[in-house]
Amino acid sequence: MINYDNFFLDQGFWGWLYKLLTPVEWLMTQIMAVFHQFLTLLGMSPIGFSWVLSIIFLVLVVHACVFPLYYKTMKSMRKMQAIQPQMQRIQNKYKGKNDQASKEAMQREMMKLYQDNDANPAGSCLPMLIQSPVFMCMFYVLSAIPYIAREKRAPLGAFDVATAQQFSQTTVFGVNVTDVFGSATSSGKIIIGVFVVLMCGCLWFTTYFSMKRNMNPEAMVGQAATMQKGMLWIFPIMYIFSGVTMPFAVLVYWLTNNVCNLLRTMWQAYAFPTPGSPAAKDKEVRDYKRENERRAKAGLPSIEEQKLIDAKKEAERREKEGFQRAQPRRKNRNKKK
């Protein structure tokens, strides 16, 4: 049961956490307000679809800001994947050796491997730790606005009581942005249901696409496969139950965010595929074709022709020098320097 008088995210642990994130929340309200003013200047009504577009623009701005971190994450993951065989050899070298000297030696070799390849084992985690609070703040801001409009919460950034009330008067597709499934009209319930289905369907397809296109089939066995299949269904089902309790404005954010995540996942499979995955094999074919096209434009022989040229040169060298490996010459120790 939703308490319309007390904002639950301002209480307990969440209240303490979101208090720390107030500067980020303040900035997000300003971004929404700027977009809303811009759309109003273009002739859109200040109450209505202009606020929904402001939510969408806010999500796009946030994704654009965190994309460099995401790109850094992908590069870090690619480097770690590239040195995985070398890491495995080091681990096998010290397998079963539990003495302190062996542990320190393995750690030194691993650190040297990271340094030589400019790889950071934490590089794929740290950016995600930065991204998560940003998206949490978007959820918080959109959830807090109806309480500001009812004067049950203090103003936040650009959203004073008047602005929050203007936002709360927005109705699109027959549903108010502050409505939840239980408080919406019959037509509003249908719209909210459609958004929840689209939101969960987008999340499901993102996980499914990643499993089918960007995972090594050899890794999809045993416990790993069971966990992935569980994630494929558990999270979308959880979102169904949580989605019907969220204001429509939050559903707009959630659906837009999930669409952006899907597009980003597809881009990742295209540009940074997991080695051995179907997407990686497709990338090899694309890179092979592009290299041949580059060579053709530069007037160079194709990859196949270059291999034939190299093979011919090797055959000619062997014919000239013979197939026997040249014996090393013994150094004349009696020769004076």
Side-chain angles (χ1 to χ4, degrees), residues 279-327:
K281 294 177 182 178
D282 290 346
K283 188 175 187 301
E284 290 177 3
V285 174
R286 291 197 307 271
D287 292 345
Y288 193 90
K289 182 179 178 181
R290 288 173 181 171
E291 177 61 17
N292 272 339
E293 291 175 351
R294 184 194 68 81
R295 287 169 174 263
K297 290 181 180 179
L300 299 173
S302 66
I303 297 176
E304 297 84 354
E305 292 170 343
Q306 186 63 51
K307 288 180 179 179
L308 291 174
I309 294 171
D310 293 342
K312 184 177 180 180
K313 287 182 179 179
E314 179 64 16
E316 291 175 350
R317 185 191 66 78
R318 289 192 173 192
E319 185 177 352
K320 181 178 179 180
E321 298 179 3
F323 289 94
Q324 294 295 328
R325 183 174 64 89
Q327 297 296 323

Side-chain angles (χ1 to χ4, degrees), residues 120-137:
N120 182 3
S124 60
C125 301
L126 292 177
M128 296 301 293
L129 293 177
I130 297 174
Q131 293 178 39
S132 297
V134 174
F135 290 106
M136 287 171 59
C137 287

Side-chain angles (χ1 to χ4, degrees), residues 36-221:
H36 179 258
Q37 291 172 6
F38 175 73
L39 293 172
T40 302
L41 289 175
L42 292 180
M44 295 188 69
S45 172
I47 300 175
F49 206 66
S50 56
W51 278 117
V52 174
L53 287 179
S54 298
I55 296 172
I56 295 173
F57 285 142
L58 174 62
V59 177
L60 296 178
V61 167
V62 171
H63 271 273
C65 290
V66 301
F67 183 79
L69 293 174
Y70 184 80
Y71 183 74
K72 184 178 180 180
T73 301
M74 293 301 101
K75 291 185 70 175
S76 179
M77 289 178 61
R78 171 60 72 86
K79 289 178 181 179
M80 290 299 296
Q81 290 168 350
I83 64 174
Q84 194 67 35
Q86 296 166 269
M87 292 172 59
Q88 190 67 41
R89 284 195 292 270
I90 294 174
Q91 291 169 353
N92 291 337
K93 179 180 177 182
Y94 294 96
K95 186 177 182 180
K97 298 179 180 180
N98 298 321
D99 58 287
Q100 189 63 28
S102 297
K103 291 180 180 179
E104 292 177 356
M106 185 178 74
Q107 187 176 8
R108 285 196 300 270
E109 290 189 34
M110 294 289 268
M111 291 300 297
K112 187 177 186 304
L113 179 64
Y114 296 148
Q115 292 173 359
D116 292 344
N117 293 274
D118 191 26
N120 182 3
S124 60
C125 301
L126 292 177
M128 296 301 293
L129 293 177
I130 297 174
Q131 293 178 39
S132 297
V134 174
F135 290 106
M136 287 171 59
C137 287
M138 280 199 296
F139 175 79
Y140 177 88
V141 168
L142 294 173
S143 300
I145 293 174
Y147 289 86
I148 298 173
R150 294 193 296 269
E151 299 186 57
K152 299 299 182 180
R153 190 203 182 280
L156 176 61
F159 280 87
D160 53 18
V161 175
T163 306
Q165 289 176 347
Q166 183 190 65
F167 176 90
S168 299
Q169 294 173 19
T170 295
T171 299
V172 291
F173 307 125
V175 57
N176 188 276
V177 291
T178 63
D179 280 344
V180 297
F181 186 83
S183 64
T185 62
S186 298
S187 59
K189 283 182 170 64
I190 295 174
I191 296 299
I192 289 176
V194 169
F195 268 70
V196 171
V197 169
L198 290 175
M199 178 186 72
C200 295
C202 190
L203 177 63
W204 180 89
F205 185 73
T206 300
T207 308
Y208 177 81
F209 177 86
S210 182
M211 288 174 56
K212 292 297 182 181
R213 296 288 304 152
N214 201 30
M215 291 192 71
N216 191 326
E218 296 178 358
M220 288 297 295
V221 293

